[in-house]
Structure formats: structure tokens, C-alpha cells
């Protein structure tokens, strides 16, 4: 059985894909913890960072670059956070490697 993020990126489950390229897709977090809360998800299934090795670690660089581009696209480049939970002990709920991109607090307070 494929996981929920594999299914969303394969369009087997509903989910607005904000951006995608050959390596990854970006969706909004269904339960946002910031005014802008996106998930940057490799198309290839990795359970977590623990599954990466020298051959596959390039996906991590691509995730960081995608986060930067999405922060610009969503107007939060002046302040954003990225987070990757790895393993149950860190609260990882979805066992498919993904990066949280969170920001937009200033914008909501009208300080921009
Ligand atoms: P984790 O705790 O694994 O780092 O983060 C998983 C995130 O995925 C959570 O913030 C949760 O709200 C989000 N999430 C879980 N299921 C879905 C879903 O079906 N669609 C979307 N867009 N986000 C989801
Ligand atoms: Zn998956």
C-alpha cells in the first residue's frame, strides 16, 4: 500500500499541488500551524532522512531550494522556518520524508 503523500502526488487522493517538478511536489498543510504552512515532498518515497544516503542525499538540497523559491512565491522570504520531523520520537506523523515551510506571521499582523 502506498502512503498518503505518494497518493496525493500521484493524484490518487485529492490535494492542491501548488508546485511540482520532476523531483518533488508542494502542498498546503491540511492543519496549518502558521499563516503560510506548506509541505515540500519528494516524489520518491523515503520514510525519513534516515533513508537517505550518499546517492540520494541530493534530494535534500532540492528540498531546501524549493523551500526558498516557495517562500519567495508566497511573499514570506523576509521570515520563514523549515522543519523536518524524523521518526516517531520527533512527532513524525506521515512516514514519507517532507519539509515543513512556515511563515507569514508578519504579514498577518500587517507589519509588512
Ligand atoms: P509530520 O508530523 O509528519 O512532520 O507532518 C505531517 C503533516 O502533514 C502534518 O502537519 C499534517 O497536518 C499534514 N497532513 C497529514 N495528512 C495530510 C493530508 O492528507 N493532506 C495534507 N495537505 N496535509 C496532511
Ligand atoms: Zn510515500
Amino acid at each position: 500500500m502506498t502512503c498518503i503523500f505518494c497518493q496525493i502526488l500521484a493524484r490518487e487522493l485529492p490535494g492542491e499541488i501548488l508546485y511540482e517538478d520532476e523531483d518533488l511536489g508542494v502542498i498546503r498543510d491540511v492543519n496549518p500551524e502558521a499563516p503560510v504552512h506548506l509541505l515540500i515532498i519528494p516524489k520518491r518515497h523515503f520514510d525519513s532522512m534516515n533513508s537517505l544516503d550518499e546517492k540520494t542525499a541530493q534530494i535534500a538540497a532540492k528540498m531546501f531550494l524549493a523551500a526558498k523559491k516557495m517562500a519567495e512565491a508566497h511573499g514570506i522570504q523576509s521570515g520563514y522556518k523549515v522543519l523536518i520531523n524524523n521518526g516517531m520520537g520527533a512527532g513524525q506523523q506521515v512516514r514519507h520524508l517532507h519539509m515543513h515551510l512556515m511563515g507569514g506571521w508578519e504579514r498577518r499582523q500587517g507589519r509588512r
Side-chain angles (χ1 to χ4, degrees), residues 4-5 8 27-31 37 39 85 91-94 98 100:
I4 192 164
F5 285 172
I8 290 173
I27 62 174
R28 283 187 204 283
D29 197 297
V30 75
N31 186 22
H37 187 167
L39 300 173
N85 294 318
Q92 184 181 2
Q93 296 168 11
V94 179
H98 55 280
H100 297 255

Side-chain angles (χ1 to χ4, degrees), residues 3-112:
C3 83
I4 192 164
F5 285 172
C6 281
Q7 288 179 295
I8 290 173
L9 294 185
R11 294 175 168 77
E12 293 166 7
L13 278 180
E16 185 192 359
I17 299 172
L18 302 175
Y19 169 86
E20 77 176 320
D21 60 28
E22 61 181 358
D23 298 307
L24 50 83
V26 178
I27 62 174
R28 283 187 204 283
D29 197 297
V30 75
N31 186 22
E33 294 182 11
V36 176
H37 187 167
L38 309 182
L39 300 173
I40 295 155
I41 309 171
K43 286 188 173 173
R44 179 169 168 189
H45 181 99
F46 300 99
D47 281 355
S48 74
M49 278 172 59
N50 293 343
S51 306
L52 297 180
D53 59 23
E54 282 73 11
K55 284 185 186 152
T56 54
Q58 183 63 19
I59 193 64
K62 289 178 175 170
M63 290 167 75
F64 276 95
L65 269 181
K68 186 193 88 164
K69 287 180 192 166
M70 293 307 289
E72 288 167 0
H74 287 262
I76 59 167
Q77 67 270 34
S78 65
Y80 60 92
K81 300 181 185 185
V82 295
L83 171 72
I84 300 176
N85 294 318
N86 292 284
M88 286 171 61
Q92 184 181 2
Q93 296 168 11
V94 179
R95 278 188 58 176
H96 178 133
L97 175 64
H98 55 280
M99 176 184 279
H100 297 255
L101 168 64
M102 291 172 281
W105 302 279
E106 293 175 336
R107 200 173 54 187
R108 174 166 279 188
Q109 288 161 16
R111 282 200 257 118
R112 268 186 96 229

